[in-house]
Amino acid sequence: MPGDAGREAAAWPAEIPPLLRRIYAARGALDIDSARPRLADLLPPDGLLDLERATALLSSAISEGRRILVVGDFDADGATACAVAVRGLRMLGARGVLHAVPNRVTHGYGLSPSLVAELAPLQPDLLVTVDHGIACHAGIDAAKALGWQVLVTDHHLPGEQLPAADAIVNPNRSGDGFAGKSLAGVGVIFYVLLALRARMRAEGRLQGKGPDLSSLLDLVAVGTVADLVPLDANNRALVAAGLRRLRAGRGCAGLAALVEVAGRTASRLGAGDIGYALGPRLNAAGRLEDMSLGIECLLCDDPARARELAQRLDAINRERRTVQQGMLDEAERALSVQALDGIGQGVGVGAAICAYDAGWHPGVVGLVASRLKERLHRPVVAFAPAEPGASALRGSARSIPGFHVRDALAAVDARHPGLIERFGGHAMAAGLSLDARNLGAFKAAFLAHAEATLDAATLEATIDSDGALAPAEFDRAHAEALRDGGPWGQGFPEPLFDGEFEVLEWRVVGERHLKLGLRCEGARTPLAAIHFGGWRNEPPPSRLHLAYRLAPDDYRGGDAIQLIVEHATAAGDQPAAVPAVAAAAGR
């Protein structure tokens, strides 16, 4: 009806093209406010349990000049959360703020008794965990035994019993009224700082409105995207604001240096650049060395020093890629012969996969689990020795939609008490530790749970496409509108299209990637495309059915565009359900 068309047009600014409106609508965003939420629309922090108690602890520690120790985690979310906490508390007047982070090999995940023992000489009055703590019962007990107050800020799913901390802020606690359940760890501590500032304002302890905490949103954006939490409206508002700071050149020196060493252009930075460039460089420090290097980079305000630290992180990331590729090659060799028990002590065939090799690095098994999950569309748990020659194993689990892997570990733990030593995580990713002697029993129990839980439809991989692009939409204006229309990510996926193309030319680049020249019926000019990891040791067919993204080609500049191919089959030969590959992951 004409009236409906008028109301629909009024919901969108004129600069939003019909293609982007269609993309937004497919993701449930029917007007510009829901498609591009603003900071002014952020959920208020009031519903978070223990927030009053948490801000009282922090406010008292600041006013009395007590020593605050922030303990982070060894991934990008934990590193950015630590940097946000340290920077934010100092902005609010805290003078004695220290920070620490566990070593993956030495301490394992989270606040452990061994880490508390190492931190004891620092003699903190208040210990604040960021991005962990909800499962760290023993470590928190050890800290409390030393007379420390403990504030836990976390977003991981809690177990049946909460640790004995003085306050626990976690939107996923039972009974918590905060609607933004998808906050990353960095988002949780940012919200705590917002509430702390409000409290200190009410107490008359700040000049004017107090410090501008929005200056921390560049770090919040990086941690949120890198942790792969769903980008609901609240998280999109946080990430979009952080990206605006980075694009305007107002990000912290450490992130600016990471953008530079990654070869990205700050003014065109998107969520994908965080996921593929900044996040992996931060994560690499925690995987192969010590995340304290990454945190130092994020806390550094000297551009020259930040550049040195970013270059070290870049070198570690190159080493990480080499280690990862070797582990993946072993896995792929086993997969190629369909003899999935060929990796060390084996990979189980069926509804789920358990993989282990004595030579694997514990810091990289999560990436191996991710790649195997993408390759097979099965939940995967990959194990490595916690350290060379150790009997303790560290495992990383990655899952598929429809299988809550943290709940699966909880179910195994309930049925087989003592089998798993520690575990925690989310629906799509989790971590655990167990004794190597229990690997066979765990594999059997995990596979049995998967077989009982998963059905054939869930195990059938598909690619969700936004349909075909019209010939007139293959242009720079639409490519830029799609790039800038995000932030895109988990729960608000980047637009993906599909269609048939004639292959005009092709060549192999970088040994594994396929560069293509394509023709689309109705398009005015040939189209350039790149398929990362697409070389299959044989020429591509003359016609291809592609799932692809439309992107500006900044390398060629001008009006140039290119298609980023995510999946390719011979035209007319695509299966009803095709595996969702992520060939560009980890670049």
Side-chain angles (χ1 to χ4, degrees), residues 220-256:
V220 175
V222 170
T224 299
V225 172
D227 210 45
L228 299 178
V229 294
L231 292 190
D232 59 12
N234 208 58
N235 279 340
R236 292 206 310 282
L238 293 170
V239 172
L243 283 170
R244 286 194 295 272
R245 293 191 66 85
L246 289 166
R247 289 170 183 161
R250 294 187 293 129
C252 68
L255 288 180

Short mmCIF file of all heavy atoms in Angstrom, two decimals, residues 220-256:
data_model
loop_
_atom_site.label_atom_id
_atom_site.label_comp_id
_atom_site.label_asym_id
_atom_site.label_seq_id
_atom_site.Cartn_x
_atom_site.Cartn_y
_atom_site.Cartn_z
N VAL A 220 37.36 -1.47 23.98
CA VAL A 220 36.12 -2.25 24.13
C VAL A 220 35.74 -2.89 22.80
O VAL A 220 35.35 -4.07 22.74
CB VAL A 220 34.98 -1.37 24.67
CG1 VAL A 220 33.67 -2.16 24.70
CG2 VAL A 220 35.31 -0.84 26.06
N ALA A 221 35.86 -2.12 21.72
CA ALA A 221 35.51 -2.65 20.39
C ALA A 221 36.40 -3.82 20.01
O ALA A 221 35.91 -4.86 19.53
CB ALA A 221 35.63 -1.54 19.34
N VAL A 222 37.69 -3.70 20.23
CA VAL A 222 38.62 -4.77 19.84
C VAL A 222 38.36 -6.03 20.64
O VAL A 222 38.28 -7.14 20.09
CB VAL A 222 40.08 -4.29 20.01
CG1 VAL A 222 41.05 -5.47 19.84
CG2 VAL A 222 40.41 -3.21 19.00
N GLY A 223 38.19 -5.90 21.95
CA GLY A 223 37.94 -7.09 22.76
C GLY A 223 36.62 -7.75 22.45
O GLY A 223 36.51 -8.98 22.43
N THR A 224 35.59 -6.96 22.18
CA THR A 224 34.26 -7.50 21.89
C THR A 224 34.26 -8.28 20.58
O THR A 224 33.74 -9.40 20.51
CB THR A 224 33.23 -6.36 21.84
OG1 THR A 224 33.19 -5.70 23.12
CG2 THR A 224 31.85 -6.88 21.51
N VAL A 225 34.84 -7.70 19.54
CA VAL A 225 34.87 -8.39 18.24
C VAL A 225 35.77 -9.61 18.30
O VAL A 225 35.41 -10.69 17.81
CB VAL A 225 35.34 -7.42 17.14
CG1 VAL A 225 35.55 -8.17 15.82
CG2 VAL A 225 34.31 -6.31 16.94
N ALA A 226 36.94 -9.48 18.92
CA ALA A 226 37.90 -10.59 18.95
C ALA A 226 37.37 -11.78 19.72
O ALA A 226 37.74 -12.92 19.43
CB ALA A 226 39.23 -10.12 19.55
N ASP A 227 36.49 -11.55 20.70
CA ASP A 227 35.98 -12.66 21.50
C ASP A 227 34.80 -13.37 20.84
O ASP A 227 34.27 -14.34 21.40
CB ASP A 227 35.57 -12.17 22.89
CG ASP A 227 35.74 -13.25 23.95
OD1 ASP A 227 36.78 -13.92 23.96
OD2 ASP A 227 34.81 -13.44 24.77
N LEU A 228 34.35 -12.88 19.70
CA LEU A 228 33.30 -13.53 18.91
C LEU A 228 31.98 -13.64 19.68
O LEU A 228 31.21 -14.58 19.46
CB LEU A 228 33.75 -14.92 18.44
CG LEU A 228 34.98 -14.95 17.53
CD1 LEU A 228 35.34 -16.39 17.18
CD2 LEU A 228 34.76 -14.15 16.26
N VAL A 229 31.70 -12.70 20.58
CA VAL A 229 30.40 -12.69 21.23
C VAL A 229 29.37 -12.15 20.24
O VAL A 229 29.71 -11.42 19.30
CB VAL A 229 30.41 -11.82 22.51
CG1 VAL A 229 31.30 -12.44 23.56
CG2 VAL A 229 30.84 -10.40 22.20
N PRO A 230 28.09 -12.51 20.38
CA PRO A 230 27.07 -12.00 19.46
C PRO A 230 27.01 -10.47 19.49
O PRO A 230 27.01 -9.86 20.56
CB PRO A 230 25.77 -12.62 19.99
CG PRO A 230 26.20 -13.84 20.73
CD PRO A 230 27.53 -13.50 21.34
N LEU A 231 26.95 -9.88 18.31
CA LEU A 231 26.85 -8.43 18.21
C LEU A 231 25.37 -8.04 18.25
O LEU A 231 24.78 -7.68 17.23
CB LEU A 231 27.53 -7.92 16.94
CG LEU A 231 29.06 -8.06 16.90
CD1 LEU A 231 29.63 -7.30 15.70
CD2 LEU A 231 29.71 -7.57 18.19
N ASP A 232 24.79 -8.10 19.44
CA ASP A 232 23.43 -7.60 19.61
C ASP A 232 23.48 -6.08 19.53
O ASP A 232 24.54 -5.47 19.33
CB ASP A 232 22.83 -8.08 20.93
CG ASP A 232 23.63 -7.65 22.15
OD1 ASP A 232 24.53 -6.79 22.02
OD2 ASP A 232 23.36 -8.17 23.25
N ALA A 233 22.32 -5.43 19.66
CA ALA A 233 22.27 -3.98 19.48
C ALA A 233 23.20 -3.27 20.45
O ALA A 233 23.88 -2.29 20.10
CB ALA A 233 20.83 -3.48 19.65
N ASN A 234 23.26 -3.74 21.68
CA ASN A 234 24.12 -3.09 22.68
C ASN A 234 25.59 -3.20 22.30
O ASN A 234 26.35 -2.22 22.35
CB ASN A 234 23.87 -3.72 24.04
CG ASN A 234 24.13 -2.78 25.19
OD1 ASN A 234 23.53 -1.71 25.27
ND2 ASN A 234 25.02 -3.15 26.08
N ASN A 235 26.02 -4.40 21.91
CA ASN A 235 27.42 -4.58 21.51
C ASN A 235 27.74 -3.83 20.22
O ASN A 235 28.86 -3.32 20.06
CB ASN A 235 27.74 -6.06 21.36
CG ASN A 235 28.02 -6.75 22.68
OD1 ASN A 235 28.34 -6.09 23.67
ND2 ASN A 235 27.90 -8.07 22.71
N ARG A 236 26.78 -3.76 19.29
CA ARG A 236 27.04 -3.01 18.06
C ARG A 236 27.25 -1.53 18.36
O ARG A 236 28.08 -0.88 17.72
CB ARG A 236 25.92 -3.20 17.05
CG ARG A 236 25.82 -4.60 16.50
CD ARG A 236 25.19 -4.67 15.12
NE ARG A 236 23.94 -3.97 15.00
CZ ARG A 236 22.75 -4.42 15.42
NH1 ARG A 236 22.71 -5.60 16.05
NH2 ARG A 236 21.65 -3.73 15.25
N ALA A 237 26.50 -0.99 19.31
CA ALA A 237 26.69 0.42 19.68
C ALA A 237 28.09 0.62 20.25
O ALA A 237 28.78 1.61 19.91
CB ALA A 237 25.63 0.84 20.70
N LEU A 238 28.55 -0.29 21.10
CA LEU A 238 29.89 -0.18 21.67
C LEU A 238 30.96 -0.30 20.59
O LEU A 238 31.92 0.49 20.54
CB LEU A 238 30.09 -1.26 22.73
CG LEU A 238 29.26 -1.15 24.01
CD1 LEU A 238 29.39 -2.43 24.83
CD2 LEU A 238 29.68 0.06 24.83
N VAL A 239 30.82 -1.30 19.72
CA VAL A 239 31.83 -1.55 18.70
C VAL A 239 31.86 -0.41 17.68
O VAL A 239 32.94 0.06 17.27
CB VAL A 239 31.59 -2.90 18.01
CG1 VAL A 239 32.50 -3.08 16.80
CG2 VAL A 239 31.78 -4.05 19.00
N ALA A 240 30.70 0.05 17.25
CA ALA A 240 30.66 1.14 16.27
C ALA A 240 31.33 2.38 16.82
O ALA A 240 32.08 3.07 16.10
CB ALA A 240 29.21 1.43 15.88
N ALA A 241 31.08 2.70 18.09
CA ALA A 241 31.71 3.89 18.67
C ALA A 241 33.23 3.71 18.76
O ALA A 241 33.99 4.65 18.50
CB ALA A 241 31.13 4.15 20.06
N GLY A 242 33.69 2.51 19.11
CA GLY A 242 35.12 2.25 19.16
C GLY A 242 35.77 2.33 17.80
O GLY A 242 36.88 2.88 17.65
N LEU A 243 35.10 1.81 16.78
CA LEU A 243 35.63 1.90 15.42
C LEU A 243 35.72 3.35 14.96
O LEU A 243 36.66 3.73 14.25
CB LEU A 243 34.76 1.09 14.46
CG LEU A 243 34.96 -0.43 14.51
CD1 LEU A 243 33.88 -1.13 13.70
CD2 LEU A 243 36.35 -0.81 13.99
N ARG A 244 34.74 4.17 15.33
CA ARG A 244 34.80 5.59 14.95
C ARG A 244 36.05 6.25 15.54
O ARG A 244 36.71 7.06 14.89
CB ARG A 244 33.53 6.32 15.40
CG ARG A 244 32.31 6.00 14.56
CD ARG A 244 31.19 6.98 14.81
NE ARG A 244 30.66 6.91 16.17
CZ ARG A 244 29.69 6.09 16.55
NH1 ARG A 244 29.14 5.25 15.68
NH2 ARG A 244 29.24 6.11 17.81
N ARG A 245 36.38 5.92 16.78
CA ARG A 245 37.59 6.47 17.38
C ARG A 245 38.84 6.02 16.63
O ARG A 245 39.74 6.83 16.35
CB ARG A 245 37.71 6.05 18.85
CG ARG A 245 36.66 6.63 19.77
CD ARG A 245 37.03 6.38 21.23
NE ARG A 245 38.24 7.09 21.60
CZ ARG A 245 38.27 8.36 21.99
NH1 ARG A 245 37.15 9.07 22.06
NH2 ARG A 245 39.42 8.92 22.32
N LEU A 246 38.90 4.74 16.29
CA LEU A 246 40.07 4.22 15.58
C LEU A 246 40.18 4.84 14.19
O LEU A 246 41.28 5.22 13.76
CB LEU A 246 39.97 2.70 15.48
CG LEU A 246 40.20 1.94 16.79
CD1 LEU A 246 39.75 0.49 16.66
CD2 LEU A 246 41.67 2.01 17.20
N ARG A 247 39.07 4.97 13.48
CA ARG A 247 39.11 5.56 12.14
C ARG A 247 39.52 7.02 12.18
O ARG A 247 40.15 7.52 11.24
CB ARG A 247 37.73 5.42 11.49
CG ARG A 247 37.35 4.01 11.08
CD ARG A 247 35.89 3.96 10.67
NE ARG A 247 35.46 2.61 10.34
CZ ARG A 247 34.18 2.22 10.30
NH1 ARG A 247 33.22 3.09 10.59
NH2 ARG A 247 33.88 0.99 10.00
N ALA A 248 39.15 7.71 13.26
CA ALA A 248 39.49 9.13 13.38
C ALA A 248 40.91 9.35 13.90
O ALA A 248 41.32 10.50 14.10
CB ALA A 248 38.48 9.82 14.29
N GLY A 249 41.65 8.27 14.14
CA GLY A 249 43.01 8.41 14.64
C GLY A 249 43.07 8.75 16.11
O GLY A 249 44.10 9.25 16.59
N ARG A 250 42.01 8.44 16.87
CA ARG A 250 41.96 8.77 18.29
C ARG A 250 42.06 7.51 19.16
O ARG A 250 41.75 7.55 20.36
CB ARG A 250 40.69 9.55 18.61
CG ARG A 250 40.65 10.93 17.96
CD ARG A 250 39.46 11.75 18.42
NE ARG A 250 38.20 11.18 17.95
CZ ARG A 250 37.16 10.92 18.72
NH1 ARG A 250 37.23 11.14 20.03
NH2 ARG A 250 36.06 10.43 18.22
N GLY A 251 42.49 6.41 18.59
CA GLY A 251 42.69 5.20 19.37
C GLY A 251 43.97 5.29 20.19
O GLY A 251 44.83 6.16 19.96
N CYS A 252 44.13 4.40 21.15
CA CYS A 252 45.34 4.40 21.97
C CYS A 252 46.54 4.06 21.11
O CYS A 252 46.42 3.47 20.02
CB CYS A 252 45.20 3.44 23.14
SG CYS A 252 45.15 1.69 22.69
N ALA A 253 47.73 4.42 21.60
CA ALA A 253 48.95 4.25 20.80
C ALA A 253 49.19 2.79 20.44
O ALA A 253 49.66 2.48 19.33
CB ALA A 253 50.14 4.81 21.58
N GLY A 254 48.88 1.88 21.37
CA GLY A 254 49.12 0.47 21.09
C GLY A 254 48.28 -0.06 19.96
O GLY A 254 48.76 -0.79 19.08
N LEU A 255 46.98 0.28 19.95
CA LEU A 255 46.12 -0.18 18.86
C LEU A 255 46.51 0.48 17.54
O LEU A 255 46.48 -0.17 16.48
CB LEU A 255 44.65 0.10 19.18
CG LEU A 255 44.03 -0.79 20.28
CD1 LEU A 255 42.58 -0.41 20.49
CD2 LEU A 255 44.16 -2.27 19.93
N ALA A 256 46.88 1.76 17.58
CA ALA A 256 47.33 2.43 16.36
C ALA A 256 48.55 1.72 15.78
O ALA A 256 48.66 1.55 14.55
CB ALA A 256 47.63 3.89 16.64
#
